[in-house]
Amino acid sequence: MSPVSSSIFLSRLQGLPVLDASGDQVGKVRDFVTQFRAPGRLPRVKGLVVELLAARRIFVPMARVQSIDAERLSLAGVIDARRFQQREGETLVFEDLFDRAVVTTNGKRATIFDVAMRGSRNRQWEITRAALRETTAKRFGFASRRGALLQVPWSEIAPSLAAADEATDRKVAQLADMRPADVARELHDMAPAQRTDVARALADEQLADAFQELPEDEQVALLNTLEAERAADVLEEMDPDDAADLINDLPEEFAEDLLARMEPEEAADVRNLMQYEELTAGGMMTSEPVIVAPDATIAQALAALRNPEVTPAAASMVFITRPPTDTPSGRYLGAAHIQRLLREPPSLMASTVIDTAMRPLTPDADLNRVSRYFATYNLVIAPVVNAEHQLVGAVTVDDVLDHMLPDDWRGDQMDGIEPGERADDGPDRRPDGGSDEQEVD
C-alpha cells in the first residue's frame, strides 16, 4: 500500500471488517502492533491483529495491507493463519497504549486515548501523533476523567514512554535502524545471555537479515536458543538459499521439525534448494528472482524491479518465462538487463529486449564455472535453467563470493581482521621467522 499524506487515527479502525484479496471478509481489526525505536525515531507500526471469523487472532504485517477506508481494510497476498503471540519489544496500541499515563514536554499530565499513524517514504508506517485527555487535579481524593482534550506530535510525549531502564528494550531500539551487517556485528560482540535476549526481542525480518550476515557456526548456535516456532518464523523471512544453507548445518531431526513448522510454500522452496550440491549453481541460487511473462511491458518489468524487497543484485535483471512465472517456471525465454529496460519505451514488450548472447547456467555447474561465467558476462546475477528449460533460480554475485572466500571470513570480519591476517599473530610469516612484508626505501 502506498504511504498516505494524512494521518489515520487507529481507534477509527478498531472493529472494521478485514477483506482478503478476493474481497471476502476474513475477520475484524482487533489491535495494531508497534515497536519503539531509538530516541528521536517514531515508533514503527509492524502490523495488525486480526480476529478471524473462527475467533482466532492472527498477525498481519502492514506490507499485506492493500487499502484502508472508513468501512473496511483490504489485504493482498497470502496471510499466515497461525495464532498471534505478542513478543518482547512489541506494544499493542489498544491494549498497552490506550489509557497510559504520560507527561508532555511542557509538563502537562495526561492519558492516551488515541494515536495516529502515517505512511513514510520508505513504505513503513509510523506513529506520528497522540490524542490525549489532560489529567485534572484531584477532587475529594479522586482524579477527574473529564480533562481537556488535546492532540500533540508523538515527540512531545515520547520521553515519558521510553524504556531506558530496560537493557534489552534499549538495545533493540538502538538496533532498529541499523543495517543487517551492523546488527550482526552487534550480536557477535554481545555476551551469550544478552545475545539470546536481544534476538528473541527483535522482529522476525530484522533478525533474519542479521542471521544472513553471521558466521555459520553462530547462526546455528543462535537458532538453537530460539523456540522452535520462532526459529521457523525467522527461517521463513530469510532468503531461501540462505535458509537452505543453514538448515543443512542442523541435525536432521531438528531440521525436519523446523521445515514442518514453516509455511508449506516457504518450506517447499527451501527443500527444492536442498537437493543440489552446495558448491554448484543450484546450491548457491535463490529461488525468487524477478520473473515476468512474455506479454509484460517494460513499464511492468521495471515496476517489478522497483519492489523494495528485491536486492540490488536481483534488481539488475528481469527474467522472461512462459507461465507459470514462479520457479520452477514455464519455458525460459531469456533475460533483460535493467540498463536496457531504462533506455527503451515503457510500452514496449520486455521480451523484445532479451540479451540473446547470454546462455544460462545449469544447476550442476560448479563454483569454478560459475565464477568464470560472471567474469565473462560482467554480471551480478545469472539465470539457472534445468534440462526441461525451466528457470529454477538465479545466482547472485554475493553468493558466489561467499563460497570463494575462506570459510571463516565472516568471523574474521566481525573481529576486525583484514584479509591475509590471522587472529593469533597478524600477517602470515615464513617458517624461518621472516615476514612476507617488504621494506621500501
Side-chain angles (χ1 to χ4, degrees), residues 264-331:
E265 184 178 345
E266 303 288 346
D269 286 342
V270 174
R271 289 185 187 275
N272 286 337
L273 292 173
M274 290 173 65
Q275 67 180 303
Y276 300 107
E277 294 292 332
E278 183 179 4
L279 296 180
T280 64
M284 292 184 285
M285 70 185 180
T286 175
S287 58
E288 299 177 344
V290 179
I291 308 173
V292 298
D295 59 351
T297 63
I298 286 179
Q300 291 170 325
L302 289 173
L305 295 174
R306 280 197 296 269
N307 184 336
E309 295 183 2
V310 177
T311 65
S316 67
M317 189 177 294
V318 65
F319 302 102
I320 296 96
T321 74
R322 299 201 181 280
T325 54
D326 292 324
T327 55
S329 70
R331 186 177 182 84

Side-chain angles (χ1 to χ4, degrees), residues 207-395:
L207 182 57
D209 289 342
F211 252 85
Q212 295 169 173
E213 302 295 333
L214 286 169
E216 290 182 3
D217 58 335
E218 292 187 26
Q219 291 184 27
V220 173
L222 188 52
L223 195 72
N224 276 291
T225 67
L226 304 177
E227 296 179 357
E229 200 67 41
R230 177 75 198 287
D233 290 343
V234 172
L235 287 169
E236 286 178 359
E237 294 293 337
M238 294 176 67
D239 293 336
D241 54 321
D242 291 314
D245 289 342
L246 177 52
I247 288 179
N248 274 326
D249 291 331
L250 300 176
E252 184 175 354
E253 185 176 349
F254 184 34
E256 283 300 321
D257 179 48
L258 294 181
L259 286 167
R261 293 172 184 270
M262 293 172 64
E263 286 292 297
E265 184 178 345
E266 303 288 346
D269 286 342
V270 174
R271 289 185 187 275
N272 286 337
L273 292 173
M274 290 173 65
Q275 67 180 303
Y276 300 107
E277 294 292 332
E278 183 179 4
L279 296 180
T280 64
M284 292 184 285
M285 70 185 180
T286 175
S287 58
E288 299 177 344
V290 179
I291 308 173
V292 298
D295 59 351
T297 63
I298 286 179
Q300 291 170 325
L302 289 173
L305 295 174
R306 280 197 296 269
N307 184 336
E309 295 183 2
V310 177
T311 65
S316 67
M317 189 177 294
V318 65
F319 302 102
I320 296 96
T321 74
R322 299 201 181 280
T325 54
D326 292 324
T327 55
S329 70
R331 186 177 182 84
Y332 175 72
L333 300 178
H337 303 274
I338 188 172
Q339 296 97 331
R340 180 68 187 277
L341 294 172
L342 291 170
R343 290 196 297 265
E344 301 294 341
S347 58
L348 201 64
M349 296 292 184
S351 56
T352 62
V353 295
I354 286 176
D355 183 350
T356 57
M358 184 178 65
R359 295 181 180 179
L361 289 166
T362 57
D364 60 350
D366 61 21
L367 180 58
N368 182 58
R369 181 179 168 190
V370 173
S371 60
R372 288 177 177 272
Y373 181 95
F374 273 84
T376 299
Y377 291 107
N378 295 318
L379 298 175
V380 292
I381 188 171
V384 182
V385 175
N386 64 17
E388 288 73 39
H389 303 288
Q390 298 171 300
L391 181 71
V392 292
V395 180

Side-chain angles (χ1 to χ4, degrees), residues 27 82 109 125 130 188 237 268 279 283 296 299 319 327 364 375 422 425:
R82 284 176 291 185
R109 297 184 177 275
W125 290 81
H188 173 82
E237 294 293 337
L279 296 180
F319 302 102
T327 55
D364 60 350
R422 291 180 3 205
D425 60 1

Side-chain angles (χ1 to χ4, degrees), residues 88-121:
E88 292 183 54
E90 293 180 342
T91 300
L92 294 176
V93 171
F94 303 150
E95 186 172 327
D96 300 331
L97 275 186
F98 282 18
D99 295 326
R100 191 163 174 177
V102 295
V103 180
T104 65
T105 51
N106 60 6
K108 292 182 179 179
R109 297 184 177 275
T111 58
I112 299 174
F113 74 88
D114 207 349
V115 296
M117 69 176 180
R118 173 187 286 180
S120 61
R121 291 182 179 179

Side-chain angles (χ1 to χ4, degrees), residues 25 71 75 118 162 200 261:
Q25 182 175 348
E71 298 181 353
L75 305 179
R118 173 187 286 180
R200 289 174 176 171
R261 293 172 184 270

